[in-house]
Amino acid sequence: MTQKPSKETIQTWARLVRVEQELLEKVEGDLKIAGLPPLVWYDVLLELVREPSGRLRYRDLHAKLLLAKHNLSRLLDRLEADRLVAREAVEDDARGAYVDITEAGRQVQKRIWPVYRRAIAQHFASKLSSMDVQQLDKILNKLRG
Amino acid sequence: MTQKPSKETIQTWARLVRVEQELLEKVEGDLKIAGLPPLVWYDVLLELVREPSGRLRYRDLHAKLLLAKHNLSRLLDRLEADRLVAREAVEDDARGAYVDITEAGRQVQKRIWPVYRRAIAQHFASKLSSMDVQQLDKILNKLRG
DNA sequence: TAAGATTGACGTTTCAATCTTG
DNA sequence: CAAGATTGAAACGTCAATCTTA
């Protein structure tokens, strides 16, 4: 049995959805103003940069990102068209594909980060005390899948 | 001057983005399973139902929703095609348009709500204490535009 | 000239189906 | 048949331009 949430809880839910949407719009806006690609490009590039080998199998990249398989496939088409990643065959599993970050991809990731960090600072960090951040983190952990 | 956010703050930001995305996917999933339209349809219908007149001018509806003007226009096309809203001329301002909710629109709003409420209960409310909700609400208010 | 709203063209996401290999 | 990944077609979102009236 699940109880009906209280008015306050519903209000907070609504606020969460809206505030998060506002925040993401502001951050995406800052990236756009700087002439940079959207956050989701950064997410992919970051996962690849984190790998010492600079590559991940498609399925592993997919597992890390909250993105449907076909969406990732199309996103990689665009990244590849911009030469930020390259797809390579997997030697011992002919079904598989590696996704490799290119040198250009690494440079774009590096250019995005300071702008993204600045946006996080302005729109998020600067509004909260470190106590707030701690509390929020605890709450988010309770909500996690 | 904006300071560089701490590692912890960045981590919490990343968690916020991801958790919120997970939550929205779960809620949208529940609506879809129930054969109901997406949340954004609900947002529009709710704003209209809240009006005693059952109508809002396009510009006022736009102001309430976090949606670009052209996106709202296209969304209303779909809602109108499904006969959930109707567009009407504004008598004393020939540039304007009213958006009216139809009886069918009211019924769809009423069918969505219990499913949506249940999703909020399951994926959000049931994971948090009322203290958590209070804290989260305070934090969200600090983040608001 | 600005406010209110829509549109055409184009880019992205989604759905179901597909193709290939294990 | 299942796993890994992609694709065609349709739905949806975005950009810049447009149309009409204030």
Side-chain angles (χ1 to χ4, degrees):
Chain A
M1 243 327 278
T2 323
Q3 286 242 308
K4 283 190 194 173
S6 69
K7 279 217 161 72
E8 292 74 30
T9 302
I10 289 170
Q11 154 91 352
T12 301
W13 164 263
R15 196 162 277 163
L16 172 61
V17 172
R18 169 164 285 247
V19 167
E20 173 66 4
Q21 198 188 337
E22 285 171 3
L23 288 176
L24 284 176
E25 276 174 21
K26 286 178 193 163
V27 172
E28 295 278 12
D30 289 353
L31 291 178
K32 180 170 296 186
I33 287 168
L36 294 169
L39 266 191
V40 65
W41 285 41
Y42 184 75
D43 293 339
V44 171
L45 295 175
L46 182 60
E47 293 300 343
L48 294 174
V49 162
R50 278 179 171 162
E51 295 299 315
S53 60
R55 61 164 35 178
L56 276 170
R57 279 195 59 159
Y58 184 95
R59 57 164 190 206
D60 298 327
L61 183 56
H62 172 247
K64 286 176 187 294
L65 301 167
L66 229 54
L67 255 182
K69 282 200 201 84
H70 43 258
N71 290 345
L72 178 54
S73 189
R74 298 222 141 127
L75 175 53
L76 291 178
D77 289 346
R78 282 171 251 145
L79 287 163
E80 196 171 31
D82 266 27
R83 314 269 182 220
L84 305 186
V85 304
R87 284 187 253 224
E88 302 286 350
V90 176
E91 312 79 38
D92 51 351
D93 184 347
R95 293 170 307 181
Y98 284 120
V99 181
D100 289 62
I101 191 163
T102 63
E103 188 47 39
R106 288 180 190 278
Q107 283 173 18
V108 168
Q109 189 274 327
K110 275 195 201 132
R111 278 177 49 224
I112 298 175
W113 176 233
V115 177
Y116 187 20
R117 185 178 53 203
R118 188 155 211 293
I120 295 170
Q122 276 186 209
H123 306 303
F124 179 73
S126 75
K127 316 256 181 148
L128 302 180
S129 70
S130 71
M131 177 69 113
D132 291 331
V133 173
Q134 267 182 259
Q135 285 183 355
L136 178 56
D137 199 73
K138 256 182 100 174
I139 290 167
L140 291 171
N141 272 315
K142 292 192 184 189
L143 289 171
R144 278 216 279 197
Chain B
M1 245 327 278
T2 323
Q3 285 243 307
K4 284 190 193 175
S6 68
K7 279 218 161 73
E8 292 73 30
T9 302
I10 289 170
Q11 154 91 351
T12 300
W13 163 264
R15 197 162 276 162
L16 172 60
V17 172
R18 169 163 285 247
V19 167
E20 173 66 3
Q21 198 189 338
E22 285 172 3
L23 287 176
L24 284 176
E25 276 174 20
K26 286 178 193 164
V27 172
E28 294 278 13
D30 289 352
L31 291 177
K32 180 170 296 186
I33 287 168
L36 294 169
L39 265 191
V40 64
W41 286 40
Y42 184 77
D43 293 339
V44 171
L45 295 176
L46 182 60
E47 293 300 344
L48 294 174
V49 161
R50 278 178 170 162
E51 296 299 315
S53 59
R55 62 164 34 177
L56 275 170
R57 279 194 59 157
Y58 185 94
R59 57 164 188 204
D60 298 327
L61 183 55
H62 172 248
K64 287 176 186 295
L65 301 167
L66 228 53
L67 254 181
K69 283 201 202 81
H70 43 260
N71 290 344
L72 178 55
S73 189
R74 300 235 136 114
L75 175 53
L76 291 177
D77 289 346
R78 283 170 250 145
L79 286 163
E80 196 171 30
D82 266 28
R83 314 268 182 221
L84 304 187
V85 305
R87 284 187 254 224
E88 302 286 351
V90 176
E91 312 79 35
D92 51 352
D93 185 347
R95 294 170 308 181
Y98 285 120
V99 181
D100 289 61
I101 190 163
T102 63
E103 188 47 39
R106 289 181 189 278
Q107 283 173 19
V108 168
Q109 188 274 328
K110 275 196 201 131
R111 278 176 50 223
I112 298 175
W113 178 231
V115 177
Y116 187 20
R117 185 178 52 204
R118 189 156 210 294
I120 295 170
Q122 276 185 211
H123 306 303
F124 180 72
S126 75
K127 316 258 180 142
L128 302 180
S129 70
S130 70
M131 176 70 112
D132 291 331
V133 173
Q134 267 181 259
Q135 286 183 353
L136 178 57
D137 199 72
K138 256 182 99 173
I139 291 168
L140 291 171
N141 273 316
K142 292 192 184 188
L143 289 171
R144 278 217 277 197

